[in-house]
Each structure stands twice: as structure tokens, then as C-alpha cells.
Amino acid sequence: MNGRMQVELPRQVKRIIETLERQGFEAYAVGGCVRDSLLGRVPQDWDITTSATPAQVKALFERTVDTGIRHGTVTVLMERAGYEVTTYRIDGEYEDARHPKEVWFAGTLTEDLKRRDFTINAMAYNERCGIVDAFDGMGDLERGVVRCVGNSEERFAEDALRMLRAVRFAAQLGFSVDRRTGEAMERLSGNLAKVSAERIQAELVKLLTSEHPGRIRLAYEKGLTRVFLPEFDRMMETPQNNPHHCYTVGEHTIHAVEGVPADRVLRLAMLLHDVAKPACRTTDEKGVDHFFGHQELGAKQAQEILRRLKFDNDTTERVCRLVRWHDDNPEPTERGIRRAIHHIGTEQYPALFAVKRADAMAQSGYRRGEKLAYIDAYEAQYETIMEQKQCLSVRELAVNGSDLIAAGMRPGREIGVALQRLLNEVLEDPAKNRKEQLLALAAAFREKNES
Ligand code: ATP
Ligand code: MG
């Protein structure tokens, strides 16, 4: 890292700090924004730490929101952005809710930095004092190491989520985890069971959508996935003796995760696409492994896992559908693909192509060229079908239920059956999607039925 790297405070942050300082308080930008600035990355948001109490902060700014009064946090609104201003916090008993609202025992900056998780997250900055770095966070940034502030075991015992956060920061920054910090993770990994699913989910998503999602391997090695995603451990421990593969299910999964864009749904889909392989594995007489039915069972297991981790329904459904269809290979003719899109649902596209490509690329080189050419052909057919706005559902038919009733059909179940049959015809041949032709077809169906 460049030692001359500067922290460039945004105008609004400067104003907040100066306003507080003018009243005799201390104030600094702190945590992630300082770390990211020093790394030459664009900070996501700017947090400020101050000696002023929440009441004092509120008195100084026109527009504020009590975001986390209990934790001493007030959000100051300025030019359509919000800045979290938090009173210096002290560890332990001082933090709990027994303190009457608005009465704050502000500690010192050093005390506040000491209760932060990692050295790289425990630096503060303002223009008066420059960088305040009490735990050699700069050194760790240079070395590319995630290291606890103070005694790792104590810090992980206080809050077990920090173990997963260590992996998350390693993944976001491409860092490794300090040896002692890593050893403490191995010893205390079981404590993660006490952490809420919501907090685990947030860190897992940040880990997966980072630049180095492969760091999830570290979470496995340190015993963390065993606690919140034991299915991953089973994948890591399942071999694939099959010419298409050169990795265990778990290593294949890691490569597949790395092979899709950093999108939440795509990364989760790759993480779980082969989750049922351990349960579906059979070995034939030649010693070759097969995984029959792993798509269907995988979609089911993925749903259980995502529910358990408290993911929302929309995410869960999208991920599960991609898992369900990741290995579906329709006949690459326009007709075959049209039927597949109807069957699988347009919502799964074009994400499904990214999934299929990453899956193929994470397999052995065996027939890779063929596999990729097939996916290209599949996608090209898909694009043609979509460009031509071909009919893929009952809704898009040139006739609807009322048309059939007007033509003399009895209202009721019969109508739905007829529409489905018409769709079948149109999926065979899109040219048939014209009103007169469909009405004639429907009449023909009826005659056949009645005779
Ligand atoms: P991001 O870019 O994801 O926002 P960040 O470093 O800002 O990264 P946050 O989770 O927003 O991470 O937390 C802000 C700061 O608060 C951290 O930099 C760290 O100093 C402190 N912090 C957050 N969570 C913990 C925790 N569980 N234990 C100790 N300190 C924490
Ligand atoms: Mg943050």
C-alpha cells in the first residue's frame, strides 16, 4: 500500500466533523470508510465517531434520525444523504439498555477503537489529527491480513459473528486471516450456532458477492460452514469419479461460484446447484459416479437451506429454480428450446445461461468445447424466440377464453383444457398463433371430443 495514500473526506463529512469540533467535541471518520480510503477503494458509507452524546449531536444538526439511539447512533441528514454519527462506545456493561435513554457515558477514542473487530477496521481519521491507528491497522493493510484487535479468542467469544466477518473481509479485500486469529476461529467455530440467521445471512451474502468468493473455503477449513451450512461440508467431502469432473463436489462448487458475475442470486445458485449430489451419488460397476435426480432434490434442499437462513421468498424461489434447471439440456432446435422456455419459465432467463456456463467451466476439460457450443446455440435460439416475441404461454395466445365462449364453447373447465391444447399446437408451430386458425382448431378438437 502506498504510504502517502490520503483519506479524502466528502464535504458533508467535513462539515459534520467541523460542526462538532467547534462545540468542543472530538469527531472522526472511522472504520470501513478509513480502511477503504487507504486501500484506494470507494467507501460505501461514511461513519463518524464522536465524544458528543446523541442528545448533543441532535441539538447541533437540523435534520437527524434516531437510528440506533440505544447504541448511541444518530443519523445526520445532509443533502439527501445520511451519515451515522455514533458516540464513543465502551465495551461491556456500558452498552446495555439499562442506561436510561439519552444518558451517555462517552468513553475515549481509544476505547471506542478497542471494541472494534479487526485492526483494519479500527482506524479513525480527521484533518486535525490525521490517521489514528492504535493497533497497526496500516501494517495489516499492507500485509493483507485480517487480525483481531486484542486477544482473538476473547473477541470471538464476545461476538461469534466476527469469525464469519473475518472471512468476509478476506473475501472482499483478497486478504488472508492472521494465524492466531485463524486458530481462534478453529477453536470457537461452534459458537456461531448462537448467532441469529439474519446476521449470518448478511455476512454470507457479502462473502459470496465479493471479489474473492472462493474464500468460503476458509470458512470450511475453520469449521464455520459446519455450523451454518453443513451441506457445504458434505459437498467438500464428496468425490466425483466421472470423466466430466476433476474436483470434489465442493471444489467444483467453489469454481462455479467464482465463474458467475457477482450477483446475489447467481452466486447463491452456484453455491447450491449441486447441493444434493452427496445424497444422490451412486457408483456403477466400472467405478464411475453418477448423481441421478440431483437437480430436483437439490432444489428442495436449497429451499430448506435458504429458509433456514431467512432469505426472502423472491430470492429463494429464483435460486431454487436455477438449481432445478441448471442441468436441463433441451434439444437445441428452435422447437425444443421454445418448449423448454415454456416449461422452465421465462423468468429464469438469461440467468440460466450464466449458470450453465459457469457449471461447464468448473468441470474437467472433457468435451468442454462441445458443452459451451451447445450453450451458445441454446442462447442464440432463446434470443431469436424472444426477439420474435413468440408465444410461450396461454396469455400470449391470439385467442382467450371469451373468444372460445363467443364461438360457442361451454364456459368451465373445458375452456382451460382447450387453451392448453392450443398452446401446445402453437409451441410446435408459432405460425398457428392466429385467431381464425386457433378458433378452427378449437372447433376441430370439440368435434373430435363429441364424436
Ligand atoms: P462495509 O463496507 O460492509 O459497510 P464496514 O467495515 O463498514 O464494511 P460494517 O459492518 O458496516 O462494516 O461495520 C462498521 C464498523 O463497525 C466496522 O468497520 C467495525 O469497526 C465495527 N463493527 C461492525 N460490526 C462489528 C462487530 N460485530 N464487532 C466489532 N466491531 C464491529
Ligand atoms: Mg459500513
Side-chain angles (χ1 to χ4, degrees):
M1 190 190 43
N2 187 338
R4 278 157 297 155
M5 201 61 119
Q6 291 289 316
V7 180
E8 189 65 53
L9 298 178
R11 186 164 35 85
Q12 299 90 323
V13 175
K14 271 190 212 173
R15 233 177 88 193
I16 293 170
I17 292 177
E18 280 163 16
T19 306
L20 285 158
E21 285 183 334
R22 238 180 282 123
Q23 300 300 312
F25 301 114
E26 296 173 12
Y28 299 82
V30 71
C33 59
V34 177
R35 176 199 68 221
D36 289 342
S37 297
L38 291 171
L39 287 171
R41 295 170 158 247
V42 180
Q44 293 217 339
D45 39 38
W46 291 81
D47 296 327
I48 293 158
T49 186
T50 180
S51 61
T53 66
Q56 289 166 331
V57 173
K58 282 165 73 172
L60 282 175
F61 298 94
E62 243 169 70
R63 291 184 302 147
T64 63
V65 182
D66 291 359
T67 11
I69 276 289
R70 271 186 49 204
H71 298 109
T73 303
V74 170
T75 299
V76 173
L77 300 173
M78 221 170 245
E79 297 169 32
R80 266 175 282 140
Y83 300 88
E84 290 199 349
V85 180
T86 305
T87 303
Y88 288 161
R89 276 166 62 174
I90 317 175
D91 245 342
E93 307 103 88
Y94 293 99
E95 269 190 45
D96 70 28
R98 273 177 302 170
H99 280 287
K101 226 179 169 184
E102 295 296 293
V103 179
W104 269 85
F105 300 94
T108 63
L109 176 65
T110 315
E111 280 171 313
D112 181 89
L113 296 177
K114 222 173 116 186
R115 60 122 196 133
R116 291 174 185 271
D117 46 9
F118 305 111
T119 61
I120 56 172
N121 288 347
M123 292 180 274
Y125 174 86
N126 70 18
E127 290 185 343
R128 236 172 8 88
C129 306
I131 306 264
V132 181
D133 177 18
F135 311 102
D136 195 26
M138 291 274 245
D140 286 333
L141 278 186
E142 251 159 68
R143 288 183 288 271
V145 169
V146 180
R147 182 165 59 94
C148 284
V149 171
N151 181 296
S152 302
E153 292 207 15
E154 284 173 21
R155 304 317 307 283
F156 291 150
E158 284 167 10
D159 179 4
L161 184 72
R162 289 171 184 160
M163 294 186 277
L164 190 53
R165 284 174 60 83
V167 179
R168 184 262 275 200
F169 287 115
Q172 287 182 323
L173 306 172
F175 280 20
S176 58
V177 169
D178 165 74
R179 186 176 55 79
R180 288 222 192 119
T181 297
E183 286 168 1
M185 284 160 72
E186 276 169 44
R187 278 193 290 274
L188 293 168
S189 56
N191 285 13
L192 202 55
K194 294 188 269 186
V195 176
S196 75
E198 288 83 354
R199 292 182 79 206
I200 288 177
Q201 187 217 100
E203 294 299 329
L204 176 64
V205 166
K206 286 184 179 178
L207 162 57
L208 287 175
T209 55
S210 71
E211 259 175 71
H212 306 273
R215 288 290 195 283
I216 192 166
R217 194 183 284 110
L218 190 62
Y220 164 72
E221 288 164 357
K222 299 298 174 193
L224 302 177
T225 53
R226 182 173 51 84
V227 180
F228 70 91
L229 196 60
E231 296 85 354
F232 187 76
D233 291 46
R234 285 200 65 199
M235 289 198 274
M236 289 301 281
E237 288 144 21
T238 301
Q240 307 191 86
N241 300 313
N242 180 303
H244 290 281
H245 287 281
C246 54
Y247 300 122
T248 60
V249 175
E251 283 298 327
H252 160 72
T253 294
I254 290 174
H255 283 84
V257 169
E258 288 171 330
V260 283
D263 169 82
R264 217 164 83 95
V265 167
L266 283 176
R267 291 271 165 100
L268 284 166
M270 292 335 282
L271 178 70
L272 300 174
H273 78 287
D274 278 349
V275 72
K277 272 193 170 178
C280 294
R281 178 165 171 258
T282 55
T283 306
D284 68 21
E285 63 285 353
K286 293 194 190 102
V288 177
D289 291 336
H290 300 280
F291 304 93
F292 301 116
H294 81 280
Q295 295 191 94
E296 292 86 347
L297 186 62
K300 251 181 78 188
Q301 292 188 351
Q303 186 178 50
E304 284 161 23
I305 292 167
L306 296 170
R307 289 240 171 95
R308 189 176 78 214
L309 291 171
K310 300 275 187 342
F311 277 92
D312 60 280
N313 291 338
D314 179 57
T315 303
T316 303
E317 274 169 31
R318 287 165 65 199
V319 171
C320 291
R321 291 221 194 88
L322 290 172
V323 173
R324 172 64 186 82
W325 299 109
H326 78 270
D327 205 19
D328 185 70
N329 297 309
E331 183 197 321
T333 58
E334 202 183 288
R335 181 181 155 280
I337 301 300
R338 195 161 47 237
R339 288 205 164 274
I341 301 170
H342 161 65
H343 192 53
I344 294 174
T346 48
E347 306 87 345
Q348 273 52 258
Y349 296 85
L352 191 58
F353 299 121
V355 167
K356 293 182 80 64
R357 286 200 175 94
D359 191 10
M361 291 302 287
Q363 296 172 0
S364 69
Y366 177 65
R367 291 180 145 185
R368 178 178 290 168
E370 252 172 82
K371 293 176 194 171
L372 295 176
Y374 167 79
I375 301 167
D376 288 347
Y378 187 168
E379 187 168 34
Q381 296 284 12
Y382 162 81
E383 278 171 0
T384 306
I385 292 164
M386 298 314 278
E387 264 164 32
Q388 295 179 353
K389 298 198 165 64
Q390 293 185 9
C391 170
L392 294 160
S393 64
V394 166
R395 212 168 16 82
E396 294 160 288
L397 283 172
V399 293
N400 59 26
S402 322
D403 295 328
L404 295 184
I405 292 166
M409 268 180 102
R410 260 196 317 276
R413 212 184 62 86
E414 219 186 316
I415 301 286
V417 174
L419 288 170
Q420 202 56 54
R421 284 183 74 178
L422 292 177
L423 175 62
N424 241 326
E425 296 284 331
V426 170
L427 286 171
E428 266 326 289
D429 178 7
K432 287 187 183 164
N433 197 21
R434 293 207 314 268
K435 193 165 179 180
E436 303 80 69
Q437 200 164 350
L438 294 181
L439 287 175
L441 267 171
F445 293 157
R446 265 173 78 202
E447 256 167 50
K448 229 167 137 200
N449 275 358
E450 281 160 12
S451 64

